[in-house]
Amino acid sequence: MSSEQGNTSMIASTRAFRIEETLLEPPAINPPPTRQALFIILIALAALLHVATIGWGDLYNETDSQYAGAAREMIESHQWLLPTNDSLPRLQKPPLLYWLILLCYKIFGSNEAAARLPIALAIVATVAFTFLIGERLRDYWHGFLAGLIYLSSCGTFLLGRIIMPEPVFSAFVAGGMFCAICGYQRRQHRGVWFAGFWICAAFACLTKSILGLVYLITILSLLGIFYREARLRFRALFHWHHVLIFLLIVAPWYIWAARHFPGVLHRLVNNDWLKPILGNDDDVPRLQFIGLHFAWWFPWLFVVIPGMIFAWRRVVRPREIEFADALPLCWIGVIFLPLLLIGRRQDYYSMSMWSAFALWAATTWDRVPRGLRMTGAVAIGICGFAVGALAAISLHVADSGRPRIANEIRFSAWHVLQDVPAATWQILWPMACIVAASLVIFASVALYLIANRRPRFAAVVLAAAMIPAGLSMIDGVARMAPNFSLANAGRFLNERLDDNDAVVYEGALHQGSSLVFYLNRKFFLLNRPTEDDSVVGSDPSELELNENAVIEKWAAPHGLYLIVQQSRLGYWQKLLMARFHVYHQVTTCGPYVILSNQL
């Protein structure tokens, strides 16, 4: 071949990139192997930490068992549209999470692992979307770091274990944001990406509430206000066939619920809009809400705070805020600020913007000076020393002989921590040592890498510090289950109950909801609080007893098992001894005692 022909061949093999590809599209070349490896490592790590641990520990009372138990009852009753707890309708939230758990039961059987599987997969999906969003906004290393930040935060390890709508809701919100960004960047297939946005919004609405659509639309509207390009490109979102897809997915269940349970839509609107504006008795105080997020976003909030304080102009770049900078900030502002300022503050309601926090933290880490990165790493090492010191102090001052009294209020993690008995803290001492050692050692390695100008590897090392710490947290949650679950009581009674025997639980249904999952029959409620939101819109009269009815059943020949808190043991002992001169305590399960009329 002549040199002229060779040159012609080379010219024929090239092409000019369109302006859309160079300015709007991601790089028009195949991603490098490093990108594929980082994505696979991130997803594999997420699966190892969350999917591989779904069988650890029993289900807790409250939301864990309310959702897992309802899905189990849906299978038994063949009521696929109506979740129930102890046969009482539970319509506080739409049914998608129940359906996902139900599907896992069909495949893997009714057990704790199957109940937690949708939550674990939602965490993995959110990690994947965080990577992909970070990659779209900047590059694959930024996406990898953002995914690591999300995955290695304390809140992901702890709240990502709870069976509740928020993790699944967060996955669909992140998925909707990813589809919106792809539609913004790509003219080709823009309609397909925007259809995916509405599908994710619809599933978010079927998981928690209409807030899924409100959050997503508000974030994109803010971006449209600040950026003309976003305003022009996001107009295609509101094409009628996209909205129709959303309505076809969301409307059927809401219509069915409104027809069969009048007033349910009003309650859902009241929960989503009126209570947040007017406030609620269950709200976490603002300072406590902020303090809990220092724990949920540990260690990364401590890592980036020095840069935000002392180099905020370099981090925020107020005179040149790009679209990639504005998107996480709008995302954080739309979700976090109303929770903080308006009301309806639960410590886990902000989970749907944790991906945005991870993206923002990754950007901050890339921009802060080396000295401030080192300050953040030192702060993590100090936290490690503090964890070890506090564990040693609690080991020596804890009073394991103090009587166990359950807390009536567990609406936040702070209440739950207050309810942990001293003996359990002593059991967790080795885990605290692991956490402390991990933070100190890895923070020291990160300092060395930062000093040698390897900030990205230093961030990976800081994330690695949370792997043994996170596994210790998951194991600790599993070890504490007997203090917050009636699983052992359910197993104990299942082996002894005859067809005519009855079980009575004293208290609110949600506080003993693990019986819904573990007890193989319906149970009666005694002294249920008048304001019990677990039976809103239901008539519990068939399952509700008063003390006189319990006394009558106690005198009957059939077996009766009464589950009461230890703080109520003296009252029932006195009452039963006065009437029957017989008092039989069968067993103790955490803060609860089981009494029976059978010797």
Side-chain angles (χ1 to χ4, degrees), residues 207-532:
T207 302
K208 184 178 179 181
S209 69
I210 198 67
L211 284 176
L213 178 62
V214 173
Y215 283 159
L216 289 168
I217 293 296
T218 306
I219 294 168
L220 299 186
S221 298
L222 279 179
L223 292 171
I225 292 173
F226 297 129
Y227 298 94
R228 181 175 179 273
E229 293 83 359
R231 187 162 57 251
L232 294 175
R233 294 170 197 165
F234 286 146
R235 285 179 181 175
L237 265 175
F238 300 97
H239 195 282
W240 68 267
H241 62 261
H242 294 149
V243 179
L244 180 61
I245 292 173
F246 173 84
L247 293 176
L248 289 175
I249 296 174
V250 172
W253 183 83
Y254 281 92
I255 294 173
W256 174 88
R259 291 185 60 185
H260 290 81
F261 297 91
V264 66
L265 293 182
H266 176 267
R267 287 195 298 273
L268 291 173
V269 171
N270 181 61
N271 289 336
D272 291 339
W273 301 103
L274 298 182
K275 285 186 177 180
I277 295 174
L278 301 177
N280 192 32
D281 293 338
D282 301 346
D283 287 351
V284 177
R286 286 186 176 87
L287 290 179
Q288 189 183 119
F289 181 80
I290 295 173
L292 285 169
H293 281 80
F294 274 82
W296 300 147
W297 294 339
F298 180 86
W300 297 103
L301 191 57
F302 288 81
V303 170
V304 300
I305 277 181
M308 282 301 301
I309 295 176
F310 299 107
W312 69 272
R313 289 183 179 275
R314 184 168 176 175
V315 172
V316 178
R317 297 178 180 177
R319 295 184 180 180
E320 49 175 333
I321 299 180
E322 300 175 350
F323 181 86
D325 296 326
L327 188 143
L329 293 176
C330 291
W331 191 346
I332 292 171
V334 166
I335 297 176
F336 189 81
L337 290 181
L339 291 174
L340 180 63
L341 300 177
I342 297 177
R344 197 62 173 169
R345 293 175 300 274
Q346 295 298 332
D347 47 335
Y348 50 83
Y349 281 3
S350 67
M351 285 187 72
S352 52
M353 48 74 56
W354 288 6
S355 291
F357 167 78
L359 293 164
W360 170 80
T363 300
T364 302
W365 177 262
D366 283 339
R367 292 178 177 176
V368 296
R370 181 173 57 170
L372 294 178
R373 290 194 189 108
M374 297 180 72
T375 303
V378 169
I380 301 307
I382 293 174
C383 290
F385 280 114
V387 169
L390 289 174
I393 293 172
S394 64
L395 182 66
H396 287 89
V397 303
D399 179 16
S400 59
R402 187 177 60 182
R404 171 80 168 92
I405 300 175
N407 196 335
E408 293 291 339
I409 302 175
R410 295 182 192 152
F411 293 113
S412 72
W414 180 248
H415 292 125
V416 174
L417 288 175
Q418 290 178 315
D419 206 24
V420 177
T424 301
W425 288 121
Q426 293 177 338
I427 294 174
L428 299 180
W429 155 255
M431 299 178 192
C433 293
I434 294 174
V435 173
S438 176
L439 293 177
V440 172
I441 294 172
F442 282 91
S444 301
V445 176
L447 271 174
Y448 171 80
L449 292 172
I450 295 170
N452 287 274
R453 302 183 184 278
R454 297 291 183 89
R456 285 178 171 174
F457 289 107
V460 173
V461 168
L462 289 175
M466 292 302 297
I467 294 177
L471 290 173
S472 296
M473 284 185 250
I474 294 173
D475 188 45
V477 170
R479 289 173 180 264
M480 289 193 295
N483 298 299
F484 302 100
S485 174
L486 287 165
N488 290 332
R491 298 186 185 105
F492 177 87
L493 293 174
N494 287 335
E495 297 177 355
R496 291 163 175 79
L497 289 172
D498 294 330
D499 293 339
N500 295 321
D501 293 343
V503 177
V504 180
Y505 171 77
E506 183 182 35
L509 176 58
H510 65 87
Q511 292 178 342
S513 60
S514 53
L515 289 174
V516 178
F517 182 80
Y518 288 102
L519 190 64
N520 295 331
R521 64 174 62 200
K522 297 179 184 178
F523 55 93
F524 294 98
L525 299 174
L526 170 65
N527 293 331
R528 182 182 64 84
T530 54
E531 296 184 1
D532 184 2

